[in-house]
Amino acid sequence: MSHSPRHVEPGSLNTGLFINGKYVPAVSGKTVPVYDPATETVIAEVASGDLEDARAAIDAADAAAAGWAATPPRQRAEILRRAYEIMTERLDFFAELITLENGKALPDAKGEAAYAAEFFRWYAEEAVRIDGHLGLSPSGGNRILVQYQPIGISLLVTPWNFPAAMGTRKIGPALAAGNTCILKPATETPLTALALAGVLQEAGVPDGVVNVLVAARSGPVVSAMLHDKRVRKLSFTGSTEVGRILLKEAADQVINCSMELGGNAPFLVFADADLDAAVEGAMVAKMRNGGEACTAANRFYVERSIAETFAGKLATRMAAMKTGAGLGDGVQLGPLVNAKSRDKVHELVQDAIDKGASVLAGGAVPQGTGFFYPATVLVDVSRDARVNAEEIFGPVAPVIAFDTEEEAIRLANDTEYGLSAYVYTGDLARGLRVSEKLDSGMIGLNRGLVSDPAAPFGGVKQSGLGREGGHHGLMEFLEAKYIATNW
Ligand code: NAD
């Protein structure tokens, strides 16, 4: 059984900042280590940019802006299509790289790499569908002509949990709409973002159109960029906590913001549901990415008559998952990204246990190297346990019984978040009725997976502003210009 990568040669990875079409060291010469969460060893030292590097990245994006905006949409589309093809040819490379720096099991990483490439394909198709509008004013006095133009230099800030897909989900529409950009990836997972820049360059993206700035001092560096008058767009994916800070920062220059923030997804199972399908869906909604997904089912509310059976079946499936280094043969559950994440997950489990929960599977931090946490199922979780209110971001499923449809909806909506929710029922009318009443941007109705490059992804309440994916995602990078016209 080998845990070594077969497609990635760590020594040959690009580790410089990507500015104006070149991988360069940081002006300060500083670097930041990137760790393999399975072994806690350093994979690479990556250049860590600061204020001067941020300015250089904006200079490059600014110099390239007019040329890229004037590039015919068909040409922009063909470049994005080539990026999709190149990435698809290198799925194994990207999957291994994602596993190396994020830790997720290789099948999850393969899924992410394919999903990530799809954003280039989808936005290649969208680049030529930027339609305007012509109408007659109600008075009949003039025409209303509306044209969509690139919004301007876009700052893209991404998290570590989907190092490839969160990048392509922003770069794809930014470029399709005719903008230049600066991607600031999470410090934990910069190697995938830097490799993406290489794919885009090979596909024909001109110098300066895409820049990647890794920055260990993310707060001051992002703040400086949000105070540079040339930056006009912030597209952020990450925690609600950091999202709030950045919305305040962006207010100073009234920068347009798209915010994809945290989630606390409820997973409702009614007694009329196909129980095995619900358990199958729960495994996907909970365990995709080892639970480190903003869409991850966080709270399982199950109708009382089937709650025990559901929890038992889920615990059997969860306990049978093969845990280990993400590159290991047959491994389904890799380590969490770092010690802080693992400690937070365990703290939430311990809190639930202290408040009366029983453990059906997992629940203890294993000995040894690597940031591992076992697949865990908790029952008899009290309403005041922290897992009800906080994003777990790990392989932990708290199961809570409910008695009526109204109660299930009330419990599901009792959170500051509103990203995704899941509903399992054999009664489609009930499924649609409940879906309409859930305060969330996305619903999986008898499905454990909602993500789709062609669909509008995003949350309500404190889960965010705006949508990514689909045609909506393109519109976030365009500005409407209205021309009152007489002819
Ligand atoms: P995070 O908020 O800690 O970091 C996200 C990004 O912001 C990283 O690039 C980080 O370096 C940067 N950052 C951190 N502090 C900053 C600051 N003060 N100023 C500027 N930038 C700063 O999130 P994370 O831990 O990387 O990712 C996990 C979170 O992301 C979870 O809450 C998850 O729900 C959320 N997420 C949301 C979506 C979505 O689409 N809604 C998708 C994936 C992840």
Side-chain angles (χ1 to χ4, degrees):
M1 187 171 73
S2 161
H3 291 174
S4 312
R6 283 182 293 151
H7 301 273
V8 174
E9 179 51 60
S12 67
L13 292 167
N14 286 310
T15 55
L17 308 173
F18 188 75
I19 297 178
N20 207 18
K22 290 188 187 62
Y23 290 98
V24 293
V27 171
S28 69
K30 284 193 179 144
T31 61
V32 59
V34 180
Y35 292 92
D36 174 351
T39 59
E40 303 183 31
T41 55
V42 175
I43 308 163
E45 288 281 343
V46 171
S48 175
D50 216 303
L51 305 185
E52 302 91 322
D53 308 284
R55 206 170 312 116
I58 299 174
D59 288 346
D62 190 34
W68 184 247
T71 301
R74 174 66 75 207
Q75 206 174 322
R76 299 202 296 256
E78 286 180 354
I79 289 173
L80 284 170
R81 172 75 199 193
R82 271 203 297 281
Y84 159 73
E85 284 161 5
I86 296 170
M87 202 172 165
T88 303
E89 282 161 18
R90 296 188 200 154
L91 280 189
D92 288 331
F93 166 83
F94 273 98
E96 279 186 7
L97 188 54
I98 291 167
T99 293
L100 269 180
E101 61 178 356
N102 165 282
K104 67 178 75 174
L106 194 59
D108 278 333
K110 283 188 175 159
E112 179 188 345
Y115 173 55
E118 281 298 333
F119 284 102
F120 287 150
R121 172 153 71 169
W122 176 262
Y123 285 105
E125 292 160 349
E126 284 290 302
V128 290
R129 315 249 182 277
I130 303 173
D131 295 333
H133 170 84
L134 177 64
L136 182 63
S137 97
S139 69
N142 63 285
R143 309 282 157 166
I144 293 170
L145 179 60
V146 180
Q147 183 185 3
Y148 287 93
Q149 296 184 323
I151 197 162
I153 296 178
S154 301
L155 174 57
L156 317 174
V157 180
T158 53
W160 47 260
N161 66 335
F162 287 96
M166 297 302 96
T168 61
R169 194 165 81 171
K170 297 184 191 303
I171 295 169
L175 265 53
N179 302 288
T180 61
C181 63
I182 299 128
L183 171 67
K184 205 238 41 91
T187 316
E188 291 84 349
T189 55
L191 293 165
T192 305
L194 291 167
L196 280 178
V199 166
L200 287 158
Q201 184 171 49
E202 263 183 80
V205 172
D207 293 352
V209 171
V210 173
N211 304 278
V212 180
L213 186 83
V214 181
R217 281 189 346 117
S218 55
V221 171
V222 169
S223 173
M225 289 195 275
L226 291 174
H227 288 90
D228 186 309
K229 291 200 163 37
R230 296 169 293 177
V231 172
R232 293 314 312 151
K233 171 82 191 180
L234 169 66
S235 177
F236 172 79
T237 297
S239 61
T240 296
E241 194 186 354
V242 173
R244 284 192 199 100
I245 297 172
L246 297 188
L247 280 168
K248 286 182 190 146
E249 295 270 359
D252 291 338
Q253 282 210 96
V254 193
I255 285 178
N256 181 301
C257 292
S258 297
M259 310 300 281
E260 295 287 349
L261 308 178
N264 176 8
F267 189 107
L268 310 185
V269 188
F270 290 93
D272 58 13
D274 174 336
L275 197 58
D276 290 329
V279 171
E280 193 58 46
M283 289 300 293
V284 176
K286 179 72 254 179
M287 297 309 294
R288 175 168 162 260
N289 241 24
E292 290 177 310
C294 52
T295 49
N298 211 58
R299 304 165 285 152
F300 290 82
Y301 294 121
V302 186
E303 197 160 349
R304 194 169 304 278
S305 60
I306 56 158
E308 204 179 314
T309 318
F310 174 87
K313 282 179 180 258
L314 184 62
T316 304
R317 289 286 302 275
M318 297 267 281
M321 288 188 84
K322 184 170 175 191
T323 306
L327 293 178
D329 292 337
V331 166
Q332 296 164 299
L333 177 60
L336 296 175
V337 73
N338 55 29
K340 192 170 148 227
S341 288
R342 197 244 325 257
D343 294 348
K344 159 93 190 294
V345 170
H346 189 57
E347 208 180 288
L348 292 178
V349 169
Q350 197 55 52
D351 169 78
I353 295 170
D354 292 345
K355 289 172 181 157
S358 306
V359 180
L360 288 194
V365 178
Q367 299 291 316
T369 313
F371 309 120
F372 294 97
Y373 199 81
T376 297
V377 178
L378 301 171
V379 291
D380 303 323
V381 177
S382 80
R383 296 272 159 91
D384 64 340
R386 284 172 56 194
V387 285
N388 288 300
E390 295 179 40
E391 194 174 25
I392 302 171
F393 238 58
V396 177
V399 181
I400 298 153
F402 70 82
D403 292 298
T404 66
E405 185 178 306
E406 291 68 32
E407 185 193 10
I409 293 167
R410 187 169 45 72
L411 289 170
N413 287 340
D414 185 18
T415 168
E416 70 190 28
Y417 295 105
L419 190 62
S420 50
Y422 304 87
V423 181
Y424 272 79
T425 171
D427 176 352
L428 188 57
R430 187 216 285 269
L432 293 170
R433 181 171 70 233
V434 172
S435 295
E436 280 192 2
K437 289 184 180 155
L438 290 173
D439 300 333
S440 62
M442 299 175 284
I443 312 273
L445 177 51
N446 292 327
R447 257 187 84 74
L449 180 71
V450 293
S451 303
D452 187 328
F457 186 109
V460 301
K461 300 203 291 193
Q462 295 189 38
S463 284
L465 300 169
R467 294 292 181 271
E468 289 192 314
H471 189 63
H472 293 73
L474 179 73
M475 298 311 288
E476 302 267 332
F477 286 94
L478 290 164
E479 198 87 86
K481 178 169 285 170
Y482 154 51
I483 307 170
T485 316
N486 281 333
W487 64 54

